[in-house]
Amino acid sequence: MPTGLGSDLVKGYAVPSGAADELFDKSGQMRPVWTNFINHISSLSADQLGVRIAHGDQYLRDAGVYFRRYSGTSPDERDWPLSHIPVLLHDDDWQQITRGLIQRADLLEHVLTDIYGAQTLASTGQIPAELLAQNPEWLRPMVGIVPRSGYFLHHLAFEIGRNPDGSWFVLGDRTQAPSGAGFALENRRATSRVFSDYFTRTNVRRLAGFFRDFRDTLRAHAGSSSDAAILTPGPGTDTYFEHVYIARYLGLMLLEGEDLTVQNGQAMVRTVSGLRPINMLWRRLDAPFADPLELDEHSHIGTPGLVGALRAGNLSMINALGSGVMETRALMAFLPRIAKSVLNTPLILPNIATWWCGHAAERAYVKAQAGRLAFGSALSTGLPYDRDSGTSAANAAPPPGQDLAAWIDAQAGNLVAQQSVRLSTTPVYENGRLVPRPMTIRVFLARTDNGWQVMPGGYARIGKNRETTALGMQGGGSVADVWVVSDTPVPRETLSPAKGSYQRVPEGALPSRAADNLFWLGRYVERAEGTIRLLRAYHLRLAETDDPEDPSVAYLASYLLGWGVDPTQPIPEALTTEIGAATNCASKVRDRFSVDGWTALNDLTKSLGKLAVTVEPGDDCARAMGVLLRKLSGFSGLVQDNMYRSSGWHFLEFGRALERVSEMASALASFTDPDAPEGCLDVAIELGDSVITHQRRYLVDPNRQSVIDLLALDRCNPRAILFQIDTLHDLIPALPFGRPASQHAPLSEQIEQLQTKLGSITPDALSQAQLTDIGNAMAELSASLTTAYLN
């Protein structure tokens, strides 16, 4: 029997001097909320715990959870950095946190209402006017606009930490477009798999109720789920996975700025059925980028006129444009005094002590206490401990050799000083033991019809070493689940409104951009498959002859070069480009097909990269093409078997069928040419994956008539041109007809003309020129589809 970790688990656990710790209180006693959990993992051997941790990591990889790390010239996707030991808080602690954060949320709402309305706080000096007038996050065009919902704030996050005396305080407010709620759900799912036996019998408060109530509130205010959407900057942002995840989890459309237009003060979604009004946007991009017409004229990800739609009262925004001003570092200096003025009570959870250096008295105090303070830009939104914020924005210091006091005087109103804090620590599992690491907890609030609701947990951000003054995921930090543990049983919350009931939501509109990406995803995947089949055929013959000048090998090489594929490269750049284009299209519509499909496509990309540096021309490369073909077929199969037959699937299938016709017509025009070298008819059959079918259906060796009959005119062969033309014809009625008939009519006419022509022609009458014309017709069909639905 393996021996458990036992007392070695916490042996040598030393809390940094001056810091609070979640596992042990200030007297060195283990907090009661941790006792049972520590006893549980102490009973496990290192190997057993390692296997459980591996299960959690595998879940995250299978679910496609990642974060985008920025290094060098381009971002790359990294595995989600989960710290597997959750942070445990007792329900009593959480109730105090909840009361304090709800009070703070109400205070922030009051301040926003004032600074975009009567501006009493500025006129009476409770907020220095220059902190608004010079602030890039205070948006002047929003002044006087009353939000349609009646509130500026609907979804908030707060960074909190624990004082050495055990009390809690606020390190920062997140009011712009708070991220992390979706990641908190995935942290929970992964951690509950690591400790599944313990989690199920422990009174840990669930997260689903928080999302259910917020979703129901969004739908109630929007009119329906189809009238609400998440507005994302797109796949380039570091939190794009979360945008996709939340959209899928809550059943909301995921839109980018180009999906929207504004007409007569009404925001409209560009869909395949025409323009459709949208009533509510959950904004996940920074406000200045939302409208290049009235805000940042350099923005390429916004929608011109969006502010006008808000001004007309035709659109609700979560959170309101301009709400990011409350993240300004200097404003924390004034919130405690404002709270006493407008709430008639001090803050339950104080924020980090802050002094704005624009006032002489505060500046004198800061100079006297400078050695114990951290400095930063007054208008920055970064946090002093957060390495991800970047030193230029969050932290500041005088140039070498300059007197500190003189520098403070020179900076004055541009400078803010904050108390230097030592972050509280939490246990992390490393090398068979628990060690303390600095952390903050991000807590999420959502406005519902019953007031503010606090997510019972959240996620903790954890530093990578013992230093308790800095952390950040970009610098190698990690995240952990937060368990709020009750002494009594807790409800098993779900997204469902009630047991035994359900509500079927009508299919939402399909944005034209999404349809365009699905259409081209189908085309690029089919194109990549065709390239792989051609390369396999080339390298098989090269392996047989070992002579690049052999007529059939040279003919294949010439054909490949005509398609921009260099056969001398074992993994040609063109193939990498095609698969990269497919992945790019898929990344923009991740909310519309399964996680397994996305994982399969990523696996294909990784395999392609590995093969590029290992394979040799000839037989080795032919086998590699077989591997890639099976992986690509796996992706296609997952999409075909699992994707709901909505409008999106129909555009994907249309693109796939159109590309298959185009490639087969081109291949037949070339490889059935009477002047083609011997063996080219066999190549055509291989490309059509129809070798066995030809052997069974025709009692002759391949000839031009049999190959044309099988691969062009056979309605039962999915590789045949006519089969795919029939598929395109059957897809037409399923495409939306919200556009004028004059726009979509050419589609039907073009397909029916081809169908009639191919249905009545004989193999010997189908010439090479006619095959080429079929390829040209596919280009015209693609243009007609684009005109009818995708522009």
Side-chain angles (χ1 to χ4, degrees):
M1 293 290 292
T3 303
L5 292 165
S7 59
D8 286 344
L9 189 67
V10 294
K11 185 177 180 180
Y13 189 96
V15 180
S17 176
D21 183 67
E22 293 308 312
L23 182 57
F24 294 102
D25 62 22
K26 62 181 180 180
S27 66
Q29 298 298 310
M30 185 178 294
R31 298 184 190 273
V33 72
W34 283 88
T35 303
N36 290 337
F37 179 76
I38 295 299
N39 289 340
H40 171 71
I41 58 176
S42 295
S43 68
L44 303 173
S45 68
D47 288 343
Q48 288 173 326
L49 188 53
V51 168
R52 289 165 176 249
I53 287 173
H55 286 164
D57 290 340
Q58 187 61 50
Y59 164 78
L60 291 169
R61 286 192 292 271
D62 291 344
V65 185
Y66 71 91
F67 82 102
R68 201 175 293 279
R69 183 173 179 177
Y70 294 87
S71 59
T73 58
S74 62
D76 57 348
E77 292 182 4
R78 299 293 180 91
D79 288 342
W80 186 242
L82 180 68
S83 178
H84 305 87
I85 304 299
V87 177
L88 272 59
L89 299 177
H90 191 270
D91 206 25
D92 290 344
D93 251 348
W94 196 253
Q95 294 308 314
Q96 180 199 15
I97 291 170
T98 295
R99 290 191 298 272
L101 295 184
I102 289 176
Q103 179 201 47
R104 191 173 187 88
D106 287 337
L107 174 63
L108 298 183
E109 178 69 39
H110 177 91
V111 174
L112 279 169
T113 301
D114 180 83
I115 63 177
Y116 286 110
Q119 300 184 344
T120 303
L121 294 172
S123 63
T124 59
Q126 295 181 74
I127 292 179
E130 55 262 51
L131 291 182
L132 299 180
Q134 299 175 13
N135 197 324
E137 295 296 340
W138 183 71
L139 305 181
R140 191 178 300 274
M142 299 305 298
V143 173
I145 299 179
V146 178
R148 180 181 178 184
S149 66
Y151 298 102
F152 285 82
L153 299 173
H154 306 82
H155 182 250
L156 298 173
F158 297 97
E159 301 278 349
I160 64 172
R162 192 191 286 270
N163 283 307
D165 65 3
S167 62
W168 294 88
F169 66 102
V170 175
L171 288 152
D173 307 305
R174 288 290 170 254
T175 57
Q176 175 76 266
S179 63
F183 289 125
L185 269 174
E186 288 294 10
N187 290 344
R188 172 61 53 86
R189 288 179 169 174
T191 306
S192 64
R193 280 165 171 75
V194 177
F195 302 108
S196 56
D197 51 347
Y198 182 82
F199 182 82
T200 55
R201 66 173 189 265
T202 303
N203 299 321
V204 179
R205 295 198 175 274
R206 288 356 188 213
L207 306 182
F210 172 85
F211 290 95
R212 181 194 63 231
D213 292 347
F214 189 42
R215 176 201 63 191
D216 293 347
T217 300
L218 291 181
R219 288 178 174 175
H221 287 273
S224 70
S225 60
S226 61
D227 294 324
I230 292 175
L231 181 61
T232 175
T237 186
D238 55 350
T239 54
Y240 183 67
F241 168 84
E242 183 190 28
H243 304 169
V244 173
Y245 182 86
I246 292 292
R248 185 186 293 130
Y249 188 67
L250 298 184
L252 300 174
M253 280 194 297
L254 186 64
L255 303 177
E256 296 182 27
E258 66 182 273
D259 293 324
L260 297 166
T261 186
V262 177
Q263 293 189 356
N264 300 319
Q266 174 66 61
M268 313 284 283
V269 183
R270 294 185 169 101
T271 79
V272 294
S273 299
L275 295 178
R276 176 171 180 164
I278 189 81
N279 295 329
M280 178 176 287
L281 290 174
W282 182 355
R283 174 177 61 84
R284 303 306 299 269
L285 79 165
D286 289 351
F289 299 119
D291 185 348
L293 189 64
E294 295 201 51
L295 301 176
D296 185 348
E297 65 184 37
H298 302 293
S299 173
H300 297 286
I301 58 176
T303 304
L306 211 56
V307 170
L310 294 169
R311 188 178 290 116
N314 294 326
L315 179 68
S316 292
M317 187 76 77
I318 299 173
N319 289 326
L321 296 179
S323 57
V325 68
M326 296 311 302
E327 296 184 5
T328 303
R329 205 161 163 185
L331 289 184
M332 297 186 81
F334 305 96
L335 291 179
R337 194 177 308 163
I338 295 172
K340 293 180 180 178
S341 172
V342 302
L343 302 179
N344 298 315
T345 182
L347 291 171
I348 297 172
L349 296 185
N351 56 239
I352 180 174
T354 305
W355 296 267
W356 178 58
C357 296
H359 288 155
E362 283 78 1
R363 191 161 62 250
Y365 175 84
V366 165
K367 287 190 288 186
Q369 303 293 325
R372 301 190 300 110
L373 303 176
F375 294 92
S377 168
L379 300 181
S380 72
T381 56
L383 301 169
Y385 61 86
D386 191 346
R387 289 282 171 85
D388 292 354
S389 299
T391 55
S392 62
N395 304 312
Q402 183 172 357
D403 178 71
L404 180 59
W407 175 74
I408 293 172
D409 283 331
Q411 294 295 315
N414 297 322
L415 195 65
V416 67
Q418 291 184 300
Q419 174 189 358
S420 293
V421 296
R422 301 194 69 82
L423 300 175
S424 55
T425 57
T426 192
V428 171
Y429 183 72
E430 291 182 3
N431 302 319
R433 294 182 180 177
L434 295 182
V435 295
R437 292 291 180 261
M439 68 100 191
T440 65
I441 295 177
R442 179 168 290 192
V443 187
F444 301 93
L445 279 71
R447 188 184 295 280
T448 71
D449 289 338
N450 296 319
W452 288 109
Q453 183 167 338
V454 180
M455 182 191 290
Y459 78 85
R461 298 200 301 154
I462 300 175
K464 66 178 180 178
N465 52 44
R466 288 174 57 86
E467 182 186 354
T468 60
T469 59
L471 51 82
M473 285 173 61
Q474 297 290 339
S478 57
V479 296
D481 191 15
V482 178
W483 291 4
V484 176
V485 183
S486 175
D487 294 330
T488 58
V490 298
R492 295 299 192 255
E493 300 277 12
T494 70
L495 278 183
S496 303
K499 187 176 181 180
S501 66
Y502 75 96
Q503 180 184 5
R504 183 165 186 171
V505 179
E507 181 189 348
L510 179 65
S512 296
R513 178 190 54 83
D516 189 38
N517 280 289
L518 287 164
F519 172 70
W520 280 99
L521 172 61
R523 293 199 65 174
Y524 283 130
V525 167
E526 190 67 27
R527 189 174 297 178
E529 181 181 334
T531 301
I532 290 171
R533 290 184 182 278
L534 279 165
L535 287 168
R536 185 170 66 171
Y538 171 82
H539 285 285
L540 281 173
R541 282 153 183 79
L542 182 63
E544 291 171 356
T545 64
D546 196 29
D547 180 11
E549 301 302 322
D550 177 85
S552 62
V553 175
Y555 194 81
L556 263 168
S558 176
Y559 183 80
L560 281 162
L561 287 169
W563 280 89
V565 181
D566 184 356
T568 64
Q569 300 174 338
I571 305 294
E573 183 180 347
L575 177 58
T576 303
T577 299
E578 288 166 359
I579 293 178
T583 303
N584 181 57
C585 288
S587 72
K588 296 177 180 179
V589 287
R590 281 189 64 178
D591 57 316
R592 294 187 177 269
F593 59 91
S594 72
V595 171
D596 286 336
W598 175 254
T599 303
L601 194 56
N602 269 338
D603 183 49
L604 172 68
T605 303
K606 291 176 182 177
S607 298
L608 188 69
K610 293 176 182 177
L611 292 172
V613 296
T614 59
V615 298
E616 297 292 335
D619 191 58
D620 188 37
C621 194
R623 285 196 299 269
M625 291 302 111
V627 171
L628 293 177
L629 184 61
R630 289 189 290 274
K631 288 181 179 291
L632 189 60
S633 298
F635 167 76
S636 298
L638 282 167
V639 171
Q640 289 297 314
D641 288 344
N642 299 337
M643 190 171 178
Y644 189 76
R645 272 27 179 188
S646 62
S647 296
W649 180 85
H650 290 99
F651 280 96
L652 176 74
E653 183 69 1
F654 202 98
R656 186 204 59 77
L658 186 149
E659 187 68 27
R660 182 168 291 187
V661 170
S662 180
E663 294 203 346
M664 183 54 70
S666 173
L668 290 176
S670 182
F671 294 108
T672 67
D673 191 316
D675 296 330
E678 183 180 352
C680 281
L681 293 175
D682 293 314
V683 172
I685 297 173
E686 285 180 33
L687 295 178
D689 197 17
S690 299
V691 174
I692 295 175
T693 305
H694 189 278
Q695 291 171 350
R696 294 180 63 179
R697 286 186 56 81
Y698 304 96
L699 300 179
V700 295
D701 290 335
N703 58 50
R704 186 181 185 279
Q705 286 76 15
S706 68
V707 172
I708 292 291
D709 184 60
L710 180 61
L711 296 179
L713 306 179
D714 194 326
R715 278 197 152 102
C716 295
N717 183 5
R719 293 283 168 179
I721 290 174
L722 186 53
F723 181 98
Q724 296 301 329
I725 294 293
D726 288 343
T727 299
L728 291 170
H729 180 269
D730 293 342
L731 286 168
I732 288 292
L735 296 179
F737 284 99
R739 301 293 180 103
S742 59
Q743 288 185 313
H744 60 70
L747 285 170
S748 298
E749 293 172 2
Q750 288 170 278
I751 293 173
E752 288 172 0
Q753 288 174 4
L754 277 172
Q755 204 174 29
T756 301
K757 181 177 181 179
L758 293 175
S760 59
I761 199 170
T762 59
D764 57 334
L766 188 60
S767 66
Q768 313 309 120
Q770 287 172 317
L771 287 167
T772 301
D773 288 342
I774 292 172
N776 295 334
M778 290 303 101
E780 294 173 4
L781 190 65
S782 178
S784 296
L785 183 84
T786 300
T787 299
Y789 296 106
L790 306 183
N791 284 338

